[in-house]
Structures are given as structure tokens and as C-alpha cells.
Amino acid sequence: MASAPTATGTVIVVGSANLDLVASTERHPLPGETLTGTEYSEYPGGKGLNQAVASSRAGAPTSFVCALGADDAGRFLHTVATTEGIDLSAARVSESTPTGRALIVVDEHGENTIIVIPGSNDECPPAHDIDSSDVVLAQLEVPISTVIDSFSAARAAGATTILNPAPATTLDRTLLSLCDIVIPNEHEVELLGGVTALQQLGVEIVIVTRGSKGIDIHKGSEMTSLPAFAVDPVDTTGAGDAFCGTLAASLATGSELSDACQRALAAGALATTKHGAVPSLPMRADVDALISSSS
Ligand code: ADP
């Protein structure tokens, strides 16, 4: 990993943007059955977009490398991102493939089923124009070759690379050997073969997020556990994205790892106190307030 940046770097998020189509219904339909639902809403989503919004709200200059379709959904997501102050000059517009969508059905118990159609996300280009003070942050909802090419370019530039290996998958040696920091949750780290396997591939720092139990930071043979902030959660959607985006933003703007982790813990906790993903991502001032009220 590059040494702590002295100048403010940009967080370059390489990842997915989806339109989430959410239908509420009393119960899930059986195969072949048609039900009349109770409510319908559309939300911006995709781990890439969520983490870019989290980073921008945390106060870092943020650029989002993604692929959107040339359709209403793509234009909507473009507007959402630019309204958040995110630089979309590296985004690709796909003329022939529709914007990615997630079809979400929620029953009256809050249980959901989700079908993700990657669409234009499969055409996400790699990041270019990377400076040594930048932080390149990626997840796994775009092609793995895109992430590998982005991290290779980041390494060549001396920038910091952070992977949030979600959705969970098995170990890809080439990709993991290009990561400075990997942020899996408890389920993801198991699928990747454990912390030691990641360290053996050269990952310097592994931060395992453990929901309301906080995080474990593994650096070399040392392990530090930090507790979660105590909040009253109403919806944990977006907690992991808030954590990753805020951590990247804090590192890019010059924080040391331990301070960056505290800010990310606060952002993850705050994201659980509101419904949805993008609406629940906290502003920098909210993170400051939670940290000072807890110290
Ligand atoms: P994911 O959403 O990717 O599964 P986690 O559930 O581990 O990730 O949540 C990410 C981070 O968000 C946690 O490490 C913690 O900092 C914060 N967080 C999540 N759930 C809670 C909670 N119930 N109370 C406080 N903080 C939480």
C-alpha cells in the first residue's frame, strides 16, 4: 500500500449502478402464480453507486467508473450521482445494453427475493488516470477483469487499492494479489478461505466487518477488534457500503487507518438507522456528531 497520502486524493469507485424496482406484497408468488401487490417504488442502487455516494458524502472528491444504459434508468442514475457531487466523466454509456436492474419482492414479514440483471454493468470499463494519492475502491458486481485491470493500473500509479469482495465469491489469486486492503463480511471471508489465505497472497490489511459486533482489523500477525457504535437499527441495508465508502474517503483525505476505521464504523452504524441504501448513507457532519457524542 502507498504510504499515507499527504495531498487529498480522489476516491475512484469502479462498480455497479442499478435501478432497484421494489414491489411489496403480502406473500411471495408461487411459480406460475400472479399476485396483486400493495406498493411499488424505484430506488438508485448497486454497490458501486452506493459506495461512491458514501465516499462523496464523507467529504472526498469521488469519481465513479461505471457503465449505464442509454435509457431512462441510466439517465436517472446519472442525475443521482452528479447531484451528489460525483464525477462521472469516466462513466461509459452503453448504446445497446439496458441499465442494470434489481427486481426486489418484499413480503409483509420483510423477507425479500432479489433478481439482479447486470445489463450494462457487464460493460463497466477499468479505471484510468490514477494518481499516487488516489484510492481505488471496487466490489464484484462488474466483470472481474475490469477490477483486475483497474487495480493493476492503480498499482502502477502507486495508489491504494481496496476490494469489498461482495457479492461473496471464491478466491481469485490474481485479483487478491493486487489488493492492499480487503473488506469482507463474516460470510465473505469464509468463502475466500480465511484471513491467512488472503495475507499469503500479499493483502496487507484485512478488515472483517461483523455487523453489530463491529470489525476485526488484521495487519500482519496483529489483530485489533473495534466495537460497533450503539444505535437502534431499523434496516441494515447499505451498512457495508457506508463502511467501505467512508473508509476509502477517510484514507484518501489523509486519515490514518485507525481514524478511518472509526469514521467507517460510525457511518455503518448510522446507515442502519434509516430505511434503504442511498437515503441512509450519512453526511460527514453526522459521522462527526456520532463520534463526538460517543467519546
Ligand atoms: P454487510 O452489510 O456487508 O454484510 P455488516 O453487516 O458487517 O456488512 O456491516 C458493516 C458495518 O456496519 C459493521 O462492521 C458495523 O460497523 C456497521 N453495522 C452493521 N450493523 C450494525 C448494527 N446493528 N449496529 C451498529 N453498527 C452496525
Side-chain angles (χ1 to χ4, degrees):
M1 181 171 59
S3 56
T6 46
T8 292
T10 296
V11 175
I12 302 173
V13 179
V14 182
S16 58
N18 290 327
L19 183 65
D20 291 353
L21 314 176
V22 185
S24 302
T25 164
E26 276 176 26
R27 61 175 177 82
H28 289 280
L30 299 169
E33 187 183 26
T34 301
L35 290 179
T36 301
T38 50
E39 251 178 76
Y40 174 75
S41 310
E42 297 185 352
Y43 302 101
K47 292 180 196 300
L49 179 59
N50 294 345
Q51 294 187 15
V53 171
S55 166
S56 187
R57 289 188 186 170
T62 303
S63 151
F64 183 30
V65 182
C66 62
L68 302 170
D71 48 23
D72 285 346
R75 285 183 283 277
F76 169 66
L77 297 175
H78 194 281
T79 303
V80 167
T82 49
T83 305
E84 293 287 337
I86 295 166
D87 174 7
L88 275 177
S89 56
R92 172 180 291 171
V93 176
S94 167
E95 293 304 326
S96 53
T97 315
T99 298
R101 284 172 172 77
L103 312 182
I104 303 169
V105 177
V106 188
D107 73 10
E108 64 180 7
H109 305 293
E111 282 293 330
N112 58 25
T113 56
I114 305 177
I115 299 175
V116 175
I117 311 287
S120 54
N121 291 305
D122 280 343
E123 297 174 18
C124 180
H128 293 294
D129 300 330
I130 305 168
D131 286 334
S132 59
S133 54
D134 293 343
V135 173
V136 180
L137 169 64
Q139 320 74 32
L140 298 175
E141 289 184 334
V142 293
I144 207 155
S145 58
T146 297
V147 183
I148 289 173
D149 290 351
S150 301
F151 282 5
S152 298
R155 275 275 159 97
T160 299
T161 58
I162 306 180
L163 178 70
N164 172 220
T169 184
T170 49
L171 184 134
D172 181 291
R173 288 172 178 277
T174 309
L175 173 58
L176 290 163
S177 66
L178 293 166
C179 298
D180 295 315
I181 303 177
V182 177
I183 310 177
N185 65 18
E186 289 175 295
H187 170 57
E188 289 151 4
V189 75
E190 212 167 286
L191 256 186
L192 291 169
V195 171
T196 310
L198 298 179
Q199 290 176 325
Q200 281 168 352
L201 288 167
V203 178
E204 191 183 335
I205 296 163
V206 180
I207 303 173
V208 182
T209 66
R210 305 177 63 225
S212 61
K213 294 176 292 221
I215 54 172
D216 292 340
I217 309 169
H218 299 262
K219 193 174 179 185
S221 55
E222 284 172 32
M223 202 268 276
T224 312
S225 297
L226 296 178
F229 283 82
V231 289
D232 289 324
V234 296
D235 175 10
T236 59
T237 312
D241 292 334
F243 185 95
C244 294
T246 305
L247 186 96
S250 304
L251 292 176
T253 51
S255 293
E256 296 294 333
L257 182 68
S258 57
D259 285 348
C261 284
Q262 282 302 339
R263 299 193 70 81
L265 281 161
L270 287 167
T272 70
T273 62
K274 290 188 191 160
H275 286 282
V278 168
S280 75
L281 298 168
M283 303 299 293
R284 190 183 172 89
D286 303 324
V287 170
D288 288 339
L290 180 59
I291 290 175
S292 52
S293 73
S294 308
S295 56

